[in-house]
Amino acid sequence: MTAVPDSLTLGSLRVDTPVVLAPMAGITNAAYRRLCAEQGAGLYVCEMITSRGLVEGDETTKKMLVFDELESVRSVQLYGTDPVYIGKAVEILCADHGVAHVDLNFGCPVPKVTRKGGGGALPWKRGLLGEILEHAVAAAAPYDVPVTMKTRKGLDDDHLTYLDAGRIAQDSGVAAIALHGRTVQQAYSGEADWDAIAALVDHVDIPVLGNGDIWEAADAIRMVERTGAAGVVVGRGCLGRPWLFRDLAAAFHGEDVATLPTLGEVKAMMRRHAELLSEHMGEERGCKEFRKHITWYLKGFPAGGELRHQLALVDSLVSLDELLAGLDDTAPFPERELGTPRGRQGAPRKKVVLPDGWLDDTDGRDAHLREDVDETTGG
């Protein structure tokens, strides 16, 4: 059994708790990152942006590159398929936006991404992957900014890439590699393969971060002990539960904590979340953005259908306060929800959508792919 680390080192960057918030499209904006950071230490990564969008000055991309005033460590996940664009984008992030950490996404399973050879499809092209990583690391080096990458096991069980990706990452000077223990074909279905994470730990000398099926702090500790991972990446487990980062910080420092907030305490967290969104986006847009979080916050709690419906239409902090007043502050946390999946799951894909002839060779350095400017999904 591996000893549990209490911090994470990525090149020149030290993170006080070995926990990373996974970038999630439409979720991990500046307000949500601030909310989570108020709960406990960790590395809180901005929503994924495209290298092409950044280099070409796309307005949507610029709006996503917003940081909270208290965000001392700026971390961004970058998506791209072209080594030159990736290099230019990394330099822009370091030089113009004061970013302290860049993560590259090679894990996204969404068909519109894999169809163009991006996300989780790209590591099949080992040569192209190496070129992209080398350009990114070279661009970040003058600023002493660590580059990491996130990937999946492979396209499917017959086309695994993660061990090769780990070796290429190490050879390219990447500071760490995060592995989601699912294939692209699995998407978010089934169980994460923690044994694959352990295999990658044994295969490389750089830190490996484990991702997949961390619903409680105890899961994170079990993963690290079982796999030898240097830390964990948490995605869906924190939806509607920012306090999970409080539990994770405690767990990695030797405390056994499982926060079970009453509905009154959850209400206070909901109000804080909506308030931060309103500060960053304006009240009307912030409240509309908050709507998607309501189901996650109230999962398992007693709240009538009509009240949930009204909350899903909230457009001001005043109306939110009026509706939250209708919830029972004393209702205990629904413990049956502990350890259960949150967010999207779905079914495995029948097949992974790839560019024509994608599997014909494993190099790809002449592929010259071109991502969409506004690709904003996660992996």
Side-chain angles (χ1 to χ4, degrees), residues 178-198:
L179 178 62
H180 186 157
R182 288 180 170 88
T183 63
V184 175
Q185 184 178 34
Q186 277 183 276
Y188 299 94
S189 67
E191 292 186 0
D193 179 4
W194 290 5
D195 290 339
I197 297 169

Side-chain angles (χ1 to χ4, degrees), residues 227-283:
T227 67
V232 297
V233 179
V234 178
R236 293 172 296 155
C238 69
L239 294 175
R241 295 196 312 164
W243 57 84
L244 178 60
F245 291 99
R246 187 192 318 163
D247 292 358
L248 286 162
F252 277 106
H253 291 88
E255 300 173 45
D256 184 13
V257 176
T259 301
L260 300 175
T262 63
L263 185 49
E265 291 168 317
V266 172
K267 279 169 52 175
M269 188 70 74
M270 293 171 72
R271 181 59 166 75
R272 176 65 175 151
H273 191 170
E275 180 182 282
L276 286 169
L277 283 167
S278 297
E279 286 176 9
H280 278 282
M281 301 178 176
E283 186 170 342

